[in-house]
Amino acid sequence: MKGLLIKDLKLMMMQKNFFILILLITMGMMFFSDDVIFPLGFLSFVVSLFAISTISYDDFDNCNAFLFTLPVTRRIYVKEKYSLGLILGCLAWCLAMLLAFIAKSIKPEFPMPLSDLFLLALAILPMVFVILSIMLPFHLKFGSENGRLALIVAFALIALIGIGINEGMKWIFNFDILQWLNSLQSLEFGTVVIIEFIISLIILVISLNISQLIMQKKEF
């Protein structure tokens, strides 16, 4: 896995100018506006999704066929993509947090206490995990171009199924799922963040197993 990580990091160095641009945009949003949560999430999401771009490089000219002649199993390949996405997302989050603290220190009129800023920022990490968990299986299954289309279709189907389930629960059991979710707002924010982490880790494990099954059946 170490060799795969080094390979992907070297590939991403080819896009270092884009990294620099994303960082400059994030710094501009933080230092010239009162909102640091959006740029913090923006940097974390964009950088973590660079793991998906490495799948495109591996698909180019059918490089996977050569890659799997090396002592690399398909399970290790999948684990490396998830590890890369998590590493990039967490590092970008830490960098964004550092920039947020700097922005707060040089702007005395900053409207948010440090503890609230940290909790709100912490709530972003599980969302990064969930987005990776959703996008990686689609890109491994369908490739980069078809994966985007399949992802849009899947989100549309999930929305329709969710609406159908909610209406069915209201009709059969008189239970409104959306109203129940809104009631969670009464919980302490720290508790909500812990619940987010637990749910996101469960989704991550399920997604990892699905991706490994996809790679085991994929032909190159």
Side-chain angles (χ1 to χ4, degrees):
M1 186 183 293
K2 180 181 176 182
L4 290 174
L5 285 170
I6 293 172
K7 171 189 75 70
D8 285 342
L9 290 173
K10 286 184 176 294
L11 284 173
M12 286 189 296
M13 286 302 294
M14 297 167 58
Q15 304 181 62
K16 60 180 179 295
N17 290 335
F18 186 65
F19 274 109
I20 294 171
L21 177 62
I22 294 298
L23 181 59
L24 290 175
I25 292 172
T26 302
M27 292 173 64
M29 287 190 290
M30 282 190 176
F31 292 115
F32 296 104
S33 73
D34 291 333
D35 182 13
V36 297
I37 297 301
F38 174 76
L40 194 151
F42 170 75
L43 184 65
S44 302
F45 283 117
V46 172
V47 173
S48 67
L49 294 181
F50 269 85
I52 294 172
S53 70
T54 62
I55 298 174
S56 303
Y57 285 114
D58 293 338
D59 287 338
F60 185 69
D61 282 346
N62 202 23
C63 289
N64 277 320
F66 169 75
L67 185 64
F68 291 122
T69 63
L70 303 174
V72 175
T73 66
R74 300 188 181 209
R75 287 184 177 273
I76 290 176
Y77 177 84
V78 172
K79 288 179 181 178
E80 185 269 338
K81 295 301 180 189
Y82 278 78
S83 300
L84 180 64
L86 294 176
I87 290 170
L88 291 175
C90 291
L91 288 177
W93 183 87
C94 291
L95 177 59
M97 280 299 300
L98 177 61
L99 293 174
F101 289 147
I102 294 173
K104 178 174 173 55
S105 65
I106 64 177
K107 293 193 296 185
E109 74 282 1
F110 195 80
M112 188 181 299
L114 192 61
S115 57
D116 291 349
L117 172 62
F118 180 73
L119 274 177
L120 284 171
L122 203 59
I124 291 174
L125 266 182
M127 299 178 191
V128 174
F129 299 164
V130 170
I131 293 296
L132 281 171
S133 301
I134 294 172
M135 296 192 72
L136 279 169
F138 279 96
H139 281 73
L140 289 170
K141 174 67 176 178
F142 300 104
S144 296
E145 296 300 325
N146 294 331
R148 293 189 190 98
L149 178 60
L151 191 62
I152 293 171
V153 173
F155 274 127
L157 287 175
I158 290 171
L160 291 173
I161 291 170
I163 293 170
I165 291 174
N166 186 51
E167 293 300 319
M169 292 290 287
K170 284 196 291 186
W171 183 58
I172 298 173
F173 301 106
N174 197 27
F175 177 75
D176 192 331
I177 298 174
L178 293 178
Q179 188 176 358
W180 175 75
L181 290 174
N182 287 330
S183 69
L184 295 179
Q185 295 178 358
S186 60
L187 296 175
E188 290 187 8
F189 193 71
T191 304
V192 174
V193 171
I194 293 172
I195 293 172
E196 278 187 358
F197 268 101
I198 294 172
I199 294 174
S200 66
L201 290 176
I202 292 172
I203 293 173
L204 194 64
V205 171
I206 294 172
S207 172
L208 175 63
N209 284 282
I210 291 173
S211 294
Q212 287 179 334
L213 288 173
I214 289 171
M215 284 302 295
Q216 290 292 338
K217 297 178 180 180
K218 198 168 182 178
E219 295 182 0
F220 300 102

